[in-house]
Structures are given as structure tokens and as C-alpha cells.
Amino acid sequence: MKTYLIIILTTFCSSMANASDASSAAATSAAVIGTAAAVGSVSYRNWLTFELKDWKDSATQTTSQLTRQCDMDTEVRLLGNARYNLLYVAIKNGTKLPYLVRPGRIRFVFSNGRERMPSFPFQNQSLELKPGITSGGTIPFPSKWEFENQDSVSAVIPLFSAEDKEFCTITVNASRPEGVPQQTSSFTEYTTLDYSFEFGTSLLRTGDPGSTLSAGKFTFGLSFYIYPWVNHGMNFGLGIENMGNQGDPILNSISGSYSSGSLNSFWGQFGYSHRRFLSRRTQLIYDIDLGGHNYRARVPESKLASDVSNSFLLFHKLSLDYMFGSFGYGVVIENAIGLSLYQGWITGGHIGTQSASGTFLGAAVRYKFGF
Amino acid sequence: MNYSRFINVRFFLVPALFIITACSHGSVRSDYGLNHYDELIVSDSQSLLIQPKKLGNGSVEINHVSLIQNSPKGPPYDLQLDKAIFEAGGSVTRALCTTSLGQKSVITIEPDKKYRIDCSIQLNANDNNHLATRDQTGVLKIPYGKSGGVISFNYFLKIEDFE
């Protein structure tokens, strides 16, 4: 299984591939980008049109740049997704001799003077440019952040003869049209799917259940985020708090003379998530959700004395995450730790003789990973 | 720490399936026409995956997009859009071509200028039986200059387009 998956991904991630026919050109481009952020899972027919919107020329509605240098017809485009920006390059060799592109020798020069080499997820073979044939593929930029506040980027592509002597250098320049504001999505590296595990403590609970003084009780939460956009997304979360003890008024109202019991609070919510990058590694996330809340009282000595209450829930959460590292091949997983502060409003329902309505407040540390 | 097993099994399978699924539909319709004609550099990479639009009764509409750029040192070239044609299955059809400047019969491409050319072609299998019985490679031809030069792009037509 492991071998097959690596083969699949290696094939897809070979960022330079023969594109002498159209299907391999398109499939290669689609595959490389698709692997880079497969969670985007957009039909591959769209990948070639996944160009950086703010870098598109208004007249042609594309980032495509055509040039003829070194007796070669060349086309480049700037493509991007959530995690990577890529340069799509196609070269038609108009000479009578084969030449080579060595992917590791390509350089990107940004308008601020920074010169970067591509960042390939796998080792790449040289690309052979056969006479009269169009070859090409996608070349990943080392980081999307390199595009921040940049107006142009040049790709310097040296060509080598079969004897490994540099024959000529193709330089292709892509520019952001004047007056077009830069879109955050064209330079921000962001995850599109995030999962977080939150370990925390309750701080406050109001209403009748508040009299249990549940502050300091252990809470656990799970959250799942989908971000189709840099700043906007959806979240789904689950939480639990073990808040009961034998002196609890709710439990007492249920259990009567029984001596022990437990009271648990469960909640699940779904809603909008807003994400802001405070820096390249720090994110502030605010979720506002609707959901359901469940009190579950259980008295082991008497099943008859157990009670359950279901209520509506309005929930919001503020989180501050620090992205501390990544790992993986092709699909790179980003890791973050953070702090969350959350509050929920419970409306309706009774448990025992008590109203379930009230609010709860909690804080948690969390580990998040995303890709 | 060795993460490889964790990554492959838990996280690579689903994305890989996404990719495989995504790669399984849509088909390439255009030969990658990256070429030069005199000093003009042309590409139809934008058309690689544009599918023909079915109009019913065996008719389809092809929307072909190409980029044509003059080199910085090239002379001005006239592009005769009103003489653009599409050849497929032994018949010739008029192609209606426009640019961002609108519908013009002739445009002049000055040195270092680039144009996007959008051509619309309507074909009917009832008029050309070959289209309904055999996959075809059609050719879009746009005359340019005064010396009889022709820019051409291939486009793949399938039988099912006309069904």
C-alpha cells in the first residue's frame, strides 16, 4: 500500500514532464498542483485556469506570457492554490538539437531583488527538449509568501546541451498589472482543512446549572474546519465537560436520597469561522455557531433517577494559533498550538427540577493540524 | 520520529483518491499549439480543456481561445479575423473571432503587443456526416500579414459531441 501511494504521488509530483501532447501537459499540471493541495479537490480541468487573479492581464484574462528566446517558443503562467504558487512553463524547441532543462538550476527573481530556487517535493529529472516538440510542466515556488508586495517575478531558465554545457538562458517575466490591488490569497499560504483537539477547563457556568460551580472542571473539544477562502470558512465542533458531583443541586433534584451521581455537559455546533493571519505563523480565529447542548445526569444507583435535557446552543470561540512546523511529502501537514476561549448560551430544556438555560465559559489549549 | 506510515495511510489515500477521481473526467480538446509564425508567437493553451457546447439537433458550438503576441522586434502584423475558418471532416465553416477590442475584421498587432482571440464556430453533423461517424481533428485557420501566412490550431472533435 505504502509503495503504491508513493508511486502515485511521485508520478503526480514529477513537476517537469514531457508535454509533447496536450493531455500530458494538462494532466501533469493538474497532478502536481492537485497533489500540492489535494484537499482543494477541484476538477482537474480547472487547474490550468487556476491562475493568480490579481496577476491576470485585463485584456487577455490570463497570466500567460509568450516569448521566443534561444530559438525556443516559451509560454509561462502563474498558477496558485492555497498552499503553493507554481509557474507553468511550456517550451517548444525550435532548434535541431536536443537540450535539457535542469529544474534545480531554475531561479526566480522577485521585484524586491530576492532570488529563489524552486522547491520540489521530490527529486526531479532533467527535462529533455526534443527538437520540434513542446515540453513542460509546473515549477513550484519555494513559498507563496515570496509574492507578498511583489509586482513582478522573472523565471530564469538555463538550457543545457547534451554535454552539460550551458547553451542559452530563457528569461520570462510576469508582472502584476498596475493599479490592481494584491489579493491576500495570492501570497498567503493557508490550510484548507484543519482539525483541532482542545483540552481545557470550564471557567464559569450561569443559570441553574451554574450553582454546581463547575469552574475548574476538565473539558475536551474537537473542531473541524474547512476554509475555501483565506479568511472565511466553516467549522464543526464537539465538546464535553464533566461537571457533576454528589453535592450538585441538579443531581440532588434527580437522585433524591441517592448518594452519588454524575452530571455531564455535551455540545455540538456548526457555523462560520473567520481567520486572520496576524503574521505568517500566527492566526486569530473567531467561530460563531449554532448547535445543540445536552445535559446528562446519571445516578448509578437508580436508572429511574437519570435524566437528559436537550437544548439549543449559541456558541462562539476565539482562538489564537501559532504554526510551529510542518511535515510530509507532497501533502504537507501544518501543525499549530493555540489557546481558545469559548462561550455558549444554552436555551430551553429542564433537567430534574432545574432549568437547563444558562451560559458556560471555558478556556482550552489546543493542538491543530491542517493541510 | 518516522511519520511516513502515519502520513501515507491516514492522509495520502483520501487526497490521492480525490486526484484520481478528478483526473477521470474532462478531456483535452486542443493540440497544444505553442508556435511561432514569423515574429508572432501563438498559444492555445487556454483552449486545452474547453469543451464544445451542445446546441441540440446535432449542432455544437466550439469556443476557441488563443493568445497571439508579436515579438518586440517584429513588424506590425494584420490579423484577418473576418477570414478565419474552421476545417473539419472535409468541410469549411466560418469562425467568428473577436478580441478584447470587440468584433473587428482586421486587427493590427504592433511589436510587443499581445491579443487574446476568441473564436466561435458552429458545426452541425446533419450538414457533415463525417462528424457523426468519425472523431475528427478540426483546424482553425486565421490568416495574417500580407504574404499569405496562416496561423492554425488543432481542435479535437468527438462523435459524442454531436449525439
Side-chain angles (χ1 to χ4, degrees), chain A residues 326-337:
Chain A
S326 57
F327 64 84
Y329 311 105
V331 179
V332 178
I333 297 169
E334 294 288 348
N335 298 276
I337 53 169

Side-chain angles (χ1 to χ4, degrees), chain A residues 61-79:
Chain A
Q61 286 302 303
T62 172
T63 62
S64 175
Q65 298 288 334
L66 300 171
T67 183
R68 182 167 171 75
Q69 296 171 36
C70 308
D71 218 5
M72 312 254 175
D73 300 323
T74 306
E75 179 173 21
V76 299
R77 288 188 192 205
L78 285 175
L79 310 176

Side-chain angles (χ1 to χ4, degrees), chain A residues 2 5 9 12 22 38 41 43-45 48 59-60 64 66-68 73 75 77 88 90 92 327 329 331, chain B residues 7-8 12 15 18-19 22 25-26 28 30 32 34-36 41 43 45-46 48-49 67 69 100 114 116:
Chain A
K2 180 179 168 184
L5 289 170
L9 290 164
F12 283 168
S41 69
S43 167
Y44 94 105
R45 76 177 72 183
L48 270 182
T60 61
S64 175
L66 300 171
T67 183
R68 182 167 171 75
D73 300 323
E75 179 173 21
R77 288 188 192 205
Y88 173 82
K92 183 175 184 181
F327 64 84
Y329 311 105
V331 179
Chain B
I7 297 164
N8 286 334
F12 274 17
F18 269 128
I19 297 161
H25 58 88
V28 171
S30 167
Y32 194 161
L34 176 60
N35 262 315
H36 71 278
I41 309 156
S43 169
S45 61
Q46 199 86 355
L48 286 175
L49 297 159
L67 294 174
Q69 178 161 351
S100 54
K114 179 171 57 182
R116 170 188 166 128

Side-chain angles (χ1 to χ4, degrees), chain A residues 250-265:
Chain A
I250 292 178
L251 282 172
N252 288 342
S253 75
I254 297 169
S255 63
S257 60
Y258 295 108
S259 60
S260 67
S262 64
L263 180 62
N264 287 302
S265 166

